[in-house]
Amino acid sequence: MTVLKRSLVSSTKTVVEKKQKTASVKPITSFFKTLDGKDAVIESSKLVTEASNQEILPSNSSDISLSEFKKTFVKSLTEEQRQLLDLELSTMEDTWFKALHKEFTKPYFLQLKQFLQAQEKAKVKVFPPKEDIYSWSRLTPLDKVKAVVLGQDPYHNDNQAHGLAFSVKSPTPAPPSLKNMYKAIGIDYPDFEHPGKAGDLTKWAEQGVLMLNACLTVKAHEANSHAKRGWENFTEEVIKKAILENDKKVVLLLWGSPAQKRVEKMRLDKDRIHVLKTVHPSPLSARRGFFEANHFKKCNDWLIENKEDPIDWALVEGNVINYHK
């Protein structure tokens, strides 16, 4: 009897433990509003235990040391959201991440990330490479922005886009619009040495020129293929942070009507934001005023007048330009 009783107690204890363990495992469900206002539910096939309240790092970035702000932000996310926002957590520069973090859990952005995730699973080729989508944030931290150049769509052919508007990866030759930009700089500064086929504008970004496209991704060989997916909403917030919520003096270079329309409803402090408008440098429009606009010199003249260092537009090593003439 003693043996039987002991066996029954042991069996009962095992069943209870199994029930408790099972009860602690729950499917991940993220609730948010869709763009049309209806409730939407995202369910992940993965399960997490109650231990998910512990610190979670991005799934592909175990060696990355997250900032304290990012660590705190991660704790507020569901597992589904954490997976969708892995790229932002691991590749976006901290000052921008902190300024933009409220966007990441909004319905439009989560839906955008779901779309991109589906494209990746379907093995659709997308530009720029994932690690370059937010390169603008790492090269031009929010507190370093001195000038903003707005583009439209990333280049959609191989080895071109790398996260900066108008810029292309080396050794890809400079596209026509960029060639016209070089020509305009040469008009403004005769000492400017033409960089030939080179088209990488990283040097400008490192000096505080935020070169931002309206859309940050594109399907290979299909222009505007990711338009109206949510990127426009996000980059509008980027622009606002750069020129409205940044206490620095900033030059806003608006080339073409799409760029100009993006900020026409924003209330700009004219003492702090210097706006320059002209046509787009594309060969289709450049001859209608781009070369005569003198935007590169006007940008630097205003920065110097406001006791800021000018942008060194030179791209050839050893090319020295006198910006104080």
Side-chain angles (χ1 to χ4, degrees):
M1 289 295 291
T2 303
V3 174
L4 178 60
K5 184 176 181 180
R6 187 178 301 160
S7 176
L8 286 171
V9 171
S10 177
S11 298
T12 302
K13 184 178 180 182
T14 301
V15 171
V16 171
E17 287 176 345
K18 286 183 177 180
K19 286 184 177 180
Q20 289 176 340
K21 186 175 181 180
T22 302
S24 68
V25 180
K26 301 176 182 179
I28 305 162
T29 306
S30 303
F31 295 88
F32 56 86
K33 296 284 186 181
T34 60
L35 293 178
D36 60 5
K38 297 179 181 179
D39 287 335
V41 179
I42 303 176
E43 293 189 358
S44 170
S45 60
K46 292 189 176 182
L47 301 177
V48 290
T49 66
E50 291 177 346
S52 63
N53 289 327
Q54 297 176 355
E55 181 177 305
I56 305 173
L57 294 179
S59 59
N60 67 352
S61 54
S62 57
D63 295 329
I64 292 177
S65 177
L66 295 184
S67 66
E68 289 303 315
F69 185 87
K70 285 183 178 179
K71 288 179 181 178
T72 301
F73 179 75
V74 166
K75 292 177 182 178
S76 71
L77 302 176
T78 65
E79 176 69 7
E80 179 73 22
Q81 290 172 335
R82 186 195 65 77
Q83 291 174 357
L84 287 172
L85 300 176
D86 188 272
L87 187 68
E88 288 69 28
L89 286 161
S90 58
T91 68
M92 183 173 285
E93 187 271 338
D94 286 344
T95 60
W96 281 110
F97 188 96
K98 188 173 183 178
L100 296 164
H101 74 279
K102 291 182 180 179
E103 297 301 305
F104 300 144
T105 52
K106 289 183 178 179
Y108 85 86
F109 196 82
L110 292 172
Q111 290 176 340
L112 167 64
K113 294 311 301 281
Q114 283 183 302
F115 164 73
L116 293 173
Q117 187 180 74
Q119 294 263 290
E120 184 176 13
K121 287 181 178 179
K123 297 184 178 180
V124 175
K125 196 171 187 178
V126 172
F127 295 127
K130 286 176 64 175
E131 64 273 14
D132 288 336
I133 291 174
Y134 297 117
S135 66
W136 53 268
S137 74
R138 301 190 299 275
L139 293 168
T140 315
L142 178 56
D143 58 349
K144 303 297 182 183
V145 175
K146 294 162 65 173
V148 178
V149 176
L150 300 180
Q152 297 176 35
D153 205 39
Y155 294 118
H156 54 79
N157 288 326
D158 294 288
N159 203 45
Q160 288 186 310
H162 64 123
L164 303 178
F166 295 103
S167 180
V168 291
K169 285 183 177 180
S170 180
T172 303
S177 292
L178 183 51
K179 289 181 180 178
N180 283 336
M181 290 163 63
Y182 291 160
K183 182 178 178 179
I185 298 173
I187 293 172
D188 287 1
Y189 298 104
D191 293 336
F192 175 74
E193 186 176 338
H194 196 290
K197 293 183 178 181
D200 189 337
L201 305 180
T202 296
K203 181 182 175 183
W204 295 0
E206 291 174 335
Q207 295 179 76
V209 182
L210 177 63
M211 290 174 282
L212 185 73
N213 281 315
C215 289
L216 299 186
T217 59
V218 66
K219 183 179 178 181
H221 318 305
E222 291 188 24
N224 296 311
S225 50
H226 287 183
K228 298 181 180 180
R229 288 286 183 175
W231 278 131
E232 295 91 342
N233 293 358
F234 179 71
T235 53
E236 183 173 339
E237 288 303 314
V238 174
I239 296 168
K240 288 179 180 178
K241 300 301 180 186
I243 65 176
L244 299 182
E245 300 179 31
N246 187 353
D247 59 2
K248 291 176 64 67
K249 292 182 180 293
V250 177
V251 180
L252 193 54
L253 298 105
L254 304 176
W255 300 336
S257 58
Q260 292 163 19
K261 287 179 180 178
R262 299 208 74 193
V263 300
E264 64 183 4
K265 294 182 180 180
M266 296 183 187
R267 293 184 178 181
L268 304 179
D269 180 353
K270 294 182 179 179
D271 292 329
R272 195 175 59 79
I273 308 298
H274 187 51
V275 180
L276 298 173
K277 297 180 181 180
T278 190
V279 296
H280 194 276
S282 163
L284 298 175
S285 57
R287 295 190 180 280
R288 298 201 300 269
F290 186 78
F291 301 118
E292 295 78 21
N294 306 116
H295 275 194
F296 297 94
K297 188 174 190 307
K298 287 178 179 178
C299 172
N300 274 343
D301 288 348
W302 189 83
L303 288 172
I304 293 170
E305 182 182 331
N306 285 275
K307 299 180 180 179
E308 296 283 350
D309 291 333
I311 305 298
D312 183 8
W313 303 113
L315 294 170
V316 176
E317 187 175 356
N319 181 200
V320 179
I321 301 173
N322 184 355
Y323 296 105
H324 295 271
K325 287 182 180 179

